[in-house]
């Protein structure tokens, strides 16, 4: 078995040598290695891209003002609800008993009020006949007023108890989509604890943070701002927002200003200058999606670094190594490690490792054979 294993390794090594030799021979027959030059994006477009996120203009975290166990849960994440629709119910048995107790106290106070009113009427008749003094009449009048005030107070207390009993029923404040349900049936609801998250899918926007260095020339070119949401079926690469708002406040920690791009309604088509703009406000777009905001040319500094691109076929990938073969002054290929960025078609952006003017071997496999 060991002999067979050694024979297999020798055969694989021989095949590797033959493959390398054939690549080297093909390069030798064809002459020098084919090379490609780094393509710079400078002079074509100075657009700057920013990372953004889709968010709902109106999004609400619903909670309750009272404590109690959840006894009914009517919705789940992803459900569409109407305004005023019941979402969940909290055990309100104690609150209902409180309402009943307050109502009984009101009835008792009203009975006392009737007795005080009858007594006051008799005292007035006796006072007219001068059978009682003025002080006695005034005491009877005060007792009636106290009974009336007690009835008013208990009635107000009953209305408060009835209003609080409505807190045990959570309803949708507007028509929307349930984004998240943070509780399950039987959980304890506490005042201020988020129970449900609801958003309005008819009004969405893309937000991004704009660095301070780009704010000077951006304010006059807001109509040229575009956005991109990858992975949407039928959407164009660059989309035109319905409106753009640059907030006039700067975050002191990050030194950035927030830009908001309102998404057009479903089926809307952008104006002049847009590239096949289709409004993405549909079921495919939801808060939390990653988006990319493109600022127009001129919004970035002219002295900024050039963006360099290479064909993806010129990139060599070996395990964790990503590199390209650069032709040196003697015409020999030298492997250089690179760090890549965004891929655009068959071109990939080179962030580090190469300089403008470098000649890169178009076929990394042939260059590897020559470099051995």
């Amino acid at each position: 078995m060991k002999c067979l294993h050694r024979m297999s390794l020798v055969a694989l090594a021989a095949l590797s040598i033959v493959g390398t030799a054939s690549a080297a021979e093909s390069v030798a027959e064809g002459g020098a290695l084919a090379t490609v030059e780094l393509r710079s994006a400078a002079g074509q477009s100075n657009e700057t891209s920013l990372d953004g996120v889709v968010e709902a203009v109106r999004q609400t975290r619903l909670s309750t003002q009272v404590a109690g166990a959840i006894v009914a849960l009517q919705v789940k994440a992803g459900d569409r609800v109407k305004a005023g629709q019941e979402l969940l119910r909290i055990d309100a048995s104690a609150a209902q008993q409180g309402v009943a107790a307050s109502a009984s106290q009101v009835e008792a106070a009203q009975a006392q009020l009737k007795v005080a009113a009858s007594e006051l009427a008799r005292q007035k008749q006796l006072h007219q006949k001068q059978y009682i003094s003025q002080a006695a009449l005034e005491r009877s009048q005060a007792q009636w007023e106290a009974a009336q005030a007690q009835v008013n107070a208990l009635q107000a207390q009953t209305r408060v108890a009835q209003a609080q009993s409505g807190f045990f029923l959570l309803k949708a404040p507007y028509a929307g989509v349930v984004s998240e349900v943070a509780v399950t049936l039987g959980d304890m609801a506490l005042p201020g604890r988020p129970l449900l998250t609801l958003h309005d899918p008819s009004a969405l926007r893309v937000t991004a943070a704009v660095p301070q260095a780009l704010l000077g020339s951006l304010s006059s070119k807001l109509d040229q701002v575009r956005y991109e949401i990858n992975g949407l079926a039928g959407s164009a690469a660059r989309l035109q927002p319905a409106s753009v708002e640059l907030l006039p406040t700067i975050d002191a920690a990050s030194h950035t200003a927030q830009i908001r791009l309102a998404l057009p309604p479903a089926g809307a088509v952008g104006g002049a200058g847009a590239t096949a703009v289709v409004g993405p406000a549909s079921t495919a777009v939801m808060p939390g999606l990653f988006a990319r905001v493109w600022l127009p040319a001129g919004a970035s500094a002219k002295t900024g670094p050039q963006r360099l691109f290479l064909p993806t076929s010129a990139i060599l990938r070996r395990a964790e190594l990503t590199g390209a073969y650069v032709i040196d002054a003697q015409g020999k290929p030298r492997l250089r490690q690179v760090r890549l960025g965004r891929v655009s078609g068959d071109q990939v952006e080179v962030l580090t490792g190469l300089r403008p003017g470098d000649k890169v071997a178009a076929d990394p496999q042939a260059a590897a054979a020559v470099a051995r």
Side-chain angles (χ1 to χ4, degrees):
M1 293 297 292
K2 291 183 178 180
C3 182
L4 291 175
H5 181 66
R6 290 178 180 177
M7 291 176 64
S8 300
L9 292 177
V10 171
L12 290 174
L15 289 175
S16 176
I17 293 173
V18 171
T20 303
S22 60
E25 291 174 359
S26 62
V27 172
E29 293 175 358
L33 286 170
T35 61
V36 292
E37 292 188 5
L38 288 171
R39 183 174 64 85
S40 174
Q44 297 180 0
S45 174
N46 287 333
E47 286 184 316
T48 302
S49 65
L50 303 173
D51 293 343
V53 64
V54 178
E55 64 180 22
V57 176
R58 185 164 56 170
Q59 180 167 318
T60 308
R61 287 188 174 183
L62 302 177
S63 59
T64 180
Q65 301 181 39
V66 294
I70 298 175
V71 295
L73 188 59
Q74 310 293 349
V75 295
K76 61 182 182 299
D79 288 351
R80 289 183 172 269
V81 296
K82 299 178 180 180
Q85 178 178 336
E86 179 179 335
L87 303 179
L88 62 82
R89 185 184 296 272
I90 301 172
D91 184 15
S93 56
Q96 292 172 353
Q97 294 298 323
V99 172
S102 296
S104 298
Q105 290 177 357
V106 170
E107 292 177 358
Q110 288 176 341
Q112 293 293 334
L113 179 62
K114 289 182 180 179
V115 172
S118 300
E119 181 66 20
L120 177 62
R122 286 194 296 268
Q123 294 294 331
K124 286 182 178 179
Q125 293 177 359
L126 293 175
H127 182 267
Q128 290 176 356
K129 297 179 180 180
Q130 297 183 354
Y131 290 157
I132 61 173
S133 64
Q134 181 67 27
L137 178 61
E138 291 176 354
R139 283 193 298 270
S140 179
Q141 179 72 28
Q143 292 176 356
W144 177 84
E145 291 177 354
Q148 181 65 52
Q150 182 69 13
V151 169
N152 294 338
L154 291 175
Q155 287 177 341
Q157 184 177 349
T158 302
R159 288 192 293 268
V160 170
Q162 291 173 345
Q164 288 181 345
S165 65
F167 297 157
F168 292 84
L169 180 62
L170 195 63
K171 297 183 179 181
Y174 51 82
V177 176
V178 179
S179 306
E180 180 185 3
V181 179
V183 293
T184 58
L185 193 65
D187 281 354
M188 178 64 66
L190 299 174
R193 177 189 178 184
L195 304 177
L196 300 171
T197 302
L198 183 71
H199 75 272
D200 184 1
S202 63
L204 302 176
R205 66 190 179 196
V206 173
T207 62
V210 183
Q212 177 180 341
L214 307 181
L215 297 177
S217 57
L218 179 61
S219 57
S220 60
K221 298 182 179 181
L222 294 180
D223 57 337
Q224 302 178 27
V225 175
R226 297 292 183 266
Y227 69 96
E228 176 183 357
I229 304 177
N230 295 327
L232 292 183
S235 65
R238 303 285 177 86
L239 303 176
Q240 181 178 4
S243 62
V244 180
E245 179 185 10
L246 183 62
L247 298 187
T249 56
I250 305 295
D251 182 72
S254 62
H255 305 292
T256 59
Q258 188 179 80
I259 188 171
R260 295 176 176 176
L261 287 67
L263 302 190
V269 178
T275 306
V277 177
V278 179
S282 63
T283 55
V285 182
M286 60 191 69
L289 285 177
F290 172 79
R292 190 175 297 277
V293 177
W294 292 93
L295 304 184
S300 59
K302 295 182 179 179
T303 58
Q306 294 179 336
R307 299 178 62 193
L308 304 177
F309 289 86
L310 268 182
T312 54
S313 59
I315 302 299
L316 177 68
R317 301 180 187 272
R318 289 181 179 173
E320 297 181 357
L321 173 67
T322 302
Y325 278 96
V326 181
I327 309 302
D328 61 11
Q330 289 74 31
K332 294 183 179 181
R334 303 294 182 187
L335 181 60
R336 189 180 297 174
Q337 188 174 2
V338 298
R339 186 164 67 92
L340 305 179
R342 184 172 179 270
V343 178
S344 178
D346 61 345
Q347 301 286 322
V348 59
E349 184 179 2
V350 180
L351 301 178
T352 59
L354 298 177
R355 298 185 297 270
D358 285 344
K359 292 184 178 181
V360 180
D363 185 357
Q365 300 298 331
V370 175
R372 291 179 184 273

